[in-house]
Amino acid sequence: MPSYFSLLFKQDFSDVKAAGTSWEKLSRKMHDAFDMHRTKVTGPLHANWEGDDAENALRFLEDIETRVQIVQTEAMAITKVIDTTRQRMEQAQKDLRAVVNDAEAQHFRIDDDGNVRLPKQWEEPQPDESDETRYERLNKEALLQDYQVAINRAVDDALRASGEGQKALAELDGEILDHKNKQMAAESARDVDKVMDRLGEKGPKIPDDPKGAAEWWKGLDADEQREYATLYPDRIGTTDGLPSDVRDDANRMRMEQELNALRRTDAYAVPGNDERRHNLETLKAELDKRDGAPENKQLYLLNHDAGGDGKAVIAMGNPDTADNVAVQVPGTSTTMDSTGGQLNRIGKLQDAAEHEDPGTTTSTVYWLGYDAPEAPLLEEANTEVAATQRAEDGAQPLRDFTHGLRASHEGERANLTVLGHSYGSTTVGAAASDGEGLDADNIVAVGSPGMTVDRADQLNTENVYFGQASDDGIGWAQGLSLGRGPTHPDWGGTRFETDTSGHSGYWDDNSRSLANQGRIIAGKPVEEYVPPSQRDNR
């Protein structure tokens, strides 16, 4: 039987490389199959099927999607193991061949088992050797030991790489066809984590700032991008500056993995898990409803957090390719349960903008990337809603997000508008007035209790707009603790005409309130507010 030395020295790794390529190709095909099944099969069915039979059929079809997604993930993990093991063994082979070539150039002899022998003239010591000859012999013997150690090290490195690869692959149990296993996605995600640990892989080193992250991503080749997105969805999905379609894929995978983990029997007893499971199920249901939507209405899940009241960042239309991008920051009492209503609002904003300029494309984003304060009950005081802390906590995440949109956008610079409603405008103000600002072309506030500043020109944006219904009760809060408030005569900015009622009517169909927001998003002039005392004189 050939020795490990001979096997490593002569090994041809082309078949191993081809195997890794085949597994990577399988992972890619599963990604495409999952996306096709979600958008062309279950997506339209979610929108059109109702009743018990429909629910049972969809449950079966989504189970197929889960298994396809697992194959995608685990095939990529296998690719990573094969490629990493091959590269480590190829390096060991390179080291081995270099040692052998150097030794043979010095006339040392190496047998098929990797044992090093002295050159022939030094094989047997002569009784009449001079001191100089004896000294040279000792040097040769020392060099022999160095060569032997280097050869043994190279062989050991190869064996270690092979053993670690074998143990890493053993972490994947391959039970995706077992219908009794109800926690497949969660188990698979944990298995892949174990695989990476076995390989000593720490994951991608992503720059902290959005611009740096965007440049890092663009510097990767296509294989590296697919690998990171598949194996590290938690890292890729939450990084501002990366492409929106990539983040969407990663976050949907992360959502499924988290949800399956929370559905485990042993997860029910953990405090907070019921709430997390509810939040993820709510988010998934809202996304599922719109999976078969037209291109401009397709949703991109750009971030989510199931903890507490829940957080979600969802784009309607791809913000990386749109001419106009609008980010809507909601206000008080917004939770994951608000997702459906908030998506309806950004849908109306998108329609309003595209109505104003049909020749352009618009992406609107629902940004609940902060912990919105709860509305106070009549019998309870709520200091959070009257303080700027929640807004200040959300300021940097909002800045990172808008700068990330700039970094990931393709082609000409988009017309970027950031809108805040109610306490959401307070968060927008805190984000825009500090640090590098939001890099927005327009800032819009509706129903604002204050934006943490005394003047519009402190928001680092030339175009600041606001609207407030005449009967919006939020007016009493302006100037108290969240800033002077946009309606103050010295605040500045441009007030646009509103014709809706109350604090939450700014998105009413066929309203001037909505149309004016659409004009701003589309880069068109607004209908400016005229005080009642001057309206008869127009």
Side-chain angles (χ1 to χ4, degrees):
M1 180 178 179
S3 66
Y4 289 128
F5 166 84
S6 296
L7 289 172
L8 178 61
F9 193 85
K10 299 175 182 178
Q11 179 67 48
D12 179 0
F13 290 98
S14 59
D15 287 348
V16 182
K17 186 175 183 178
T21 300
S22 295
W23 281 104
E24 192 276 335
K25 185 176 180 180
L26 174 62
S27 178
R28 195 169 354 123
K29 286 184 175 295
M30 291 300 100
H31 169 272
D32 294 343
F34 175 82
D35 189 60
M36 179 71 72
H37 197 273
R38 179 176 63 81
T39 58
K40 303 299 184 184
V41 180
T42 55
L45 294 180
H46 273 293
N48 299 310
W49 277 17
E50 294 181 356
D52 293 341
D53 289 343
E55 289 183 8
N56 290 332
L58 282 168
R59 193 175 298 115
F60 174 80
L61 291 172
E62 287 177 345
D63 180 72
I64 293 175
E65 287 182 0
T66 297
R67 297 170 194 278
V68 169
Q69 195 175 59
I70 291 171
V71 175
Q72 175 195 342
T73 303
E74 295 199 350
M76 184 59 75
I78 293 170
T79 301
K80 182 65 176 176
V81 173
I82 291 174
D83 287 348
T84 300
T85 302
R86 173 181 57 79
Q87 290 165 6
R88 292 174 179 175
M89 293 186 72
E90 283 181 333
Q91 184 60 52
Q93 183 186 67
K94 182 179 178 181
D95 294 342
L96 178 64
R97 288 177 173 176
V99 172
V100 170
N101 290 338
D102 189 48
E104 290 180 340
Q106 299 294 324
H107 305 293
F108 284 85
R109 295 169 294 165
I110 303 171
D111 65 22
D112 290 341
D113 293 326
N115 299 311
V116 185
R117 296 167 57 191
L118 288 168
K120 284 188 175 181
Q121 68 268 34
W122 298 102
E123 195 167 22
E124 295 292 338
Q126 301 299 317
D128 55 348
E129 282 182 343
S130 64
D131 290 342
E132 181 179 355
T133 302
R134 189 176 305 107
Y135 178 75
E136 188 174 354
R137 176 185 297 283
L138 291 174
N139 284 339
K140 293 291 184 182
E141 290 175 351
L143 188 56
L144 179 149
Q145 293 301 317
D146 290 341
Y147 284 136
Q148 190 67 67
V149 167
I151 286 174
N152 293 345
R153 183 187 301 117
V155 173
D156 288 344
D157 287 346
L159 290 171
R160 187 180 306 107
S162 177
E164 289 172 350
Q166 185 178 27
K167 290 177 182 177
L169 288 176
E171 298 291 353
L172 302 175
D173 58 27
E175 294 180 355
I176 62 169
L177 299 181
D178 181 2
H179 285 270
K180 296 179 181 179
N181 185 355
K182 303 299 183 185
Q183 314 301 334
M184 297 177 299
E187 296 289 358
S188 177
R190 276 195 289 271
D191 289 347
V192 169
D193 287 342
K194 292 177 183 177
V195 169
M196 296 301 106
D197 287 342
R198 286 284 191 184
L199 289 179
E201 292 289 330
K202 304 301 181 184
K205 295 180 180 178
I206 308 174
D208 292 333
D209 66 293
K211 184 177 180 180
E215 292 173 351
W216 167 80
W217 180 261
K218 292 172 185 175
L220 301 175
D221 63 35
D223 289 342
E224 289 172 320
Q225 290 177 347
R226 280 191 292 269
E227 174 191 317
Y228 287 146
T230 304
L231 298 180
Y232 304 99
D234 55 332
R235 300 280 306 280
I236 300 302
T238 58
T239 298
D240 293 315
L242 301 193
S244 295
D245 56 348
V246 172
R247 294 182 68 178
D248 177 55
D249 283 346
N251 282 319
R252 287 177 186 267
M253 181 181 295
R254 179 166 67 99
M255 177 182 64
E256 294 287 354
Q257 292 172 351
E258 291 174 358
L259 190 52
N260 277 278
L262 290 168
R263 286 169 174 164
R264 289 173 55 92
T265 304
D266 57 2
Y268 280 74
V270 178
N273 274 0
D274 284 345
E275 187 176 45
R276 296 179 67 86
R277 186 172 62 254
H278 167 78
N279 285 337
L280 287 175
E281 287 174 343
T282 299
L283 176 61
K284 184 179 186 311
E286 293 298 337
L287 294 173
D288 286 346
K289 290 177 186 177
R290 298 164 176 84
D291 270 345
E295 183 177 358
N296 71 318
K297 295 293 183 181
Q298 288 179 7
L299 298 184
Y300 294 78
L301 181 59
L302 302 182
N303 212 339
H304 70 272
D305 183 347
D309 291 332
K311 298 175 184 177
V313 180
I314 305 170
M316 182 174 290
N318 191 340
D320 296 343
T321 58
D323 301 307
N324 307 306
V325 179
V327 180
Q328 166 80 5
V329 182
T332 307
S333 298
T334 308
T335 68
M336 194 71 87
D337 287 332
S338 310
T339 303
Q342 293 293 335
L343 290 177
N344 288 337
R345 285 184 179 179
I346 65 170
K348 291 183 177 184
L349 289 171
Q350 183 192 54
D351 292 341
E354 293 184 343
H355 174 76
E356 294 299 327
D357 192 350
T360 59
T361 56
T362 297
S363 170
T364 48
V365 183
Y366 163 50
W367 191 88
L368 182 61
Y370 80 114
D371 186 11
E374 296 72 29
L377 300 174
L378 292 177
E379 66 273 14
E380 295 181 8
N382 182 0
T383 58
E384 296 287 347
V385 77
T388 60
Q389 188 60 55
R390 297 281 186 98
E392 291 166 1
D393 290 344
Q396 189 60 52
L398 180 56
R399 280 193 293 269
D400 287 341
F401 181 71
T402 58
H403 285 271
L405 290 178
R406 289 296 194 199
S408 63
H409 195 268
E410 303 169 11
E412 295 184 8
R413 178 182 170 98
N415 180 48
L416 175 60
T417 302
V418 182
L419 308 95
H421 171 236
S422 188
Y423 193 90
S425 70
T426 311
T427 302
V428 171
S433 61
D434 197 12
E436 297 180 350
L438 293 171
D439 197 16
D441 298 294
N442 315 288
I443 287 179
V444 181
V446 292
S448 176
M451 300 185 72
T452 75
V453 295
D454 291 331
R455 302 187 314 276
D457 60 12
Q458 293 174 291
L459 297 178
N460 295 309
T461 304
E462 183 176 350
N463 301 313
V464 179
Y465 303 87
F466 65 96
Q468 187 161 312
S470 59
D471 61 347
D472 187 343
I474 201 66
W476 69 269
Q478 294 187 9
L480 294 180
S481 58
L482 302 179
R484 178 182 280 172
T487 59
H488 191 282
D490 296 330
W491 197 79
T494 301
R495 183 171 181 176
F496 58 84
E497 193 66 60
T498 58
D499 60 346
T500 48
S501 179
H503 188 54
S504 300
Y506 299 100
W507 303 272
D508 286 354
D509 293 332
N510 304 313
S511 67
R512 292 155 80 185
S513 303
L514 177 61
N516 276 314
Q517 292 178 81
R519 290 187 183 108
I520 297 167
I521 295 169
K524 302 298 182 180
V526 297
E527 180 186 6
E528 294 191 25
Y529 170 79
V530 178
S533 61
Q534 300 177 19
R535 294 186 182 185
D536 293 339
N537 300 323
R538 285 188 295 176

